[in-house]
Amino acid sequence: MLPGMTTRGYHHGDLRRALLDAAVQAIEESGPAALSLRDLARRAGVSHAAPAHHFGDKAGLLTALAVEGYDRLADELGGAGDDLLEVGVAYVRFAVDHRAHFEVMFQPDLYRGDDAEVRAARDRAHAVLRGGLAALPAAAPDRDALAAWSIVHGFATLWLAGALPPEAGRDPEQTARAVIRRLFE
Amino acid sequence: MLPGMTTRGYHHGDLRRALLDAAVQAIEESGPAALSLRDLARRAGVSHAAPAHHFGDKAGLLTALAVEGYDRLADELGGAGDDLLEVGVAYVRFAVDHRAHFEVMFQPDLYRGDDAEVRAARDRAHAVLRGGLAALPAAAPDRDALAAWSIVHGFATLWLAGALPPEAGRDPEQTARAVIRRLFE
């Protein structure tokens, strides 16, 4: 066996990635609460000690997913420029494309929300979201930020839950754009 | 033992209620995914066959909670009159006061969402929510209904997740009222 390789031939960093990917798949199927490290090892086809070696425990694994999720969210919101409408649509797109990350991020009981990396990534995402609001004439910036966050988060959550009626259409970004516009009328 | 009583002295209907209450408590602690009928029987102090007798399986139990949740939501929204602002505040109040029901209702993978009772209760809640919109001058009623639902659902969900920053305050109804007002400006 080469140095840095595991029994299955993963490089160390690749094994971590493989475990995170297996966790995403498991969470998409059954949600984060049902996840176990043992099940994860089985899915990734590695020794059952491997997840604990990389993440310590289940909360450690979900903390890593939360960090990754907030980092990606900040990147995607940042990529939408300073148009609040597009920032909101990017938020919904992130939730739809990364539903496992999104689900974990907003269940802070399941991970270590006060972890320094989580806090840094979360603060970055919040800052980008608020940056999108700066272009608005706002009498009450805190309240307006909360309204914008609520409307995109609520839409994304209802969409992911399959709770919306047929008239909501089939394209989440298109419907989200119409819904968010309601804030500017 | 008297007819109609169980070994623990419950009347039949009271045992069903006791099981539902125990389920609410368990879900408030650990979420619906972690719930098992066996654990529920232990909590309620009844035979481990009792939950299956009343609800069939876990999906049956969660279906009963979803029906109860949508019924109560419809009642509470209906009680708020036809002022959309107050209907929205009532939605948030329901979510905060009945977080276990709220959590189950919006995880339709966990229960039988096409159950006739669930559909009737859900349709009633939707009708009340849309009734609150009828008083608005609306160019796009479907879109406006979705925007109103999204903003209250998003606010409630973020509040329950403990995701909001300190400036959101400590009184969910008061903050919700300010946030929902943003739709009328």
Side-chain angles (χ1 to χ4, degrees), chain A residues 118-129:
Chain A
V118 171
R119 290 169 63 157
R122 193 172 51 209
D123 288 352
R124 194 160 74 89
H126 282 179
V128 179
L129 192 60

Side-chain angles (χ1 to χ4, degrees), chain A residues 91-109:
Chain A
Y91 189 98
V92 171
R93 187 188 310 125
F94 170 81
V96 171
D97 289 350
H98 303 286
R99 79 178 287 156
H101 285 89
F102 188 73
E103 208 173 324
V104 170
M105 288 155 67
F106 293 100
Q107 293 195 47
D109 290 355

Side-chain angles (χ1 to χ4, degrees), chain A residues 108 143-144 150 161 178 182-183 185, chain B residues 108 143-144 161 178 182-183 185:
Chain A
R143 194 277 314 256
D144 290 354
S150 294
R182 182 67 184 73
L183 283 181
E185 285 170 4
Chain B
R143 194 276 315 256
D144 290 353
R182 182 66 184 74
L183 283 181
E185 285 170 3

Side-chain angles (χ1 to χ4, degrees), chain A residues 65-136:
Chain A
L65 281 182
V67 170
E68 189 168 83
Y70 278 112
D71 267 336
R72 284 191 192 171
L73 176 62
D75 287 347
E76 300 204 12
L77 297 182
D82 57 3
D83 177 342
L84 180 61
L85 179 60
E86 294 309 322
V87 172
V89 172
Y91 189 98
V92 171
R93 187 188 310 125
F94 170 81
V96 171
D97 289 350
H98 303 286
R99 79 178 287 156
H101 285 89
F102 188 73
E103 208 173 324
V104 170
M105 288 155 67
F106 293 100
Q107 293 195 47
D109 290 355
L110 295 178
Y111 63 89
R112 287 186 261 283
D114 54 355
D115 172 270
E117 273 192 280
V118 171
R119 290 169 63 157
R122 193 172 51 209
D123 288 352
R124 194 160 74 89
H126 282 179
V128 179
L129 192 60
R130 288 187 70 101
L133 284 159
L136 281 184

Side-chain angles (χ1 to χ4, degrees), chain B residues 56-129:
Chain B
D57 55 14
K58 178 176 164 180
L61 169 80
L62 296 178
T63 301
L65 281 182
V67 170
E68 188 168 81
Y70 278 112
D71 267 337
R72 284 191 193 172
L73 176 62
D75 287 348
E76 300 204 13
L77 297 182
D82 57 2
D83 177 343
L84 180 60
L85 179 60
E86 294 309 322
V87 172
V89 173
Y91 189 98
V92 171
R93 187 188 310 126
F94 170 82
V96 172
D97 288 349
H98 304 286
R99 80 179 286 158
H101 286 90
F102 187 73
E103 209 173 324
V104 171
M105 288 156 65
F106 293 100
Q107 293 195 47
D109 290 355
L110 295 178
Y111 63 88
R112 286 187 261 284
D114 56 354
D115 173 272
E117 273 191 280
V118 171
R119 290 170 62 157
R122 193 171 52 209
D123 288 351
R124 193 160 75 88
H126 283 179
V128 179
L129 193 60

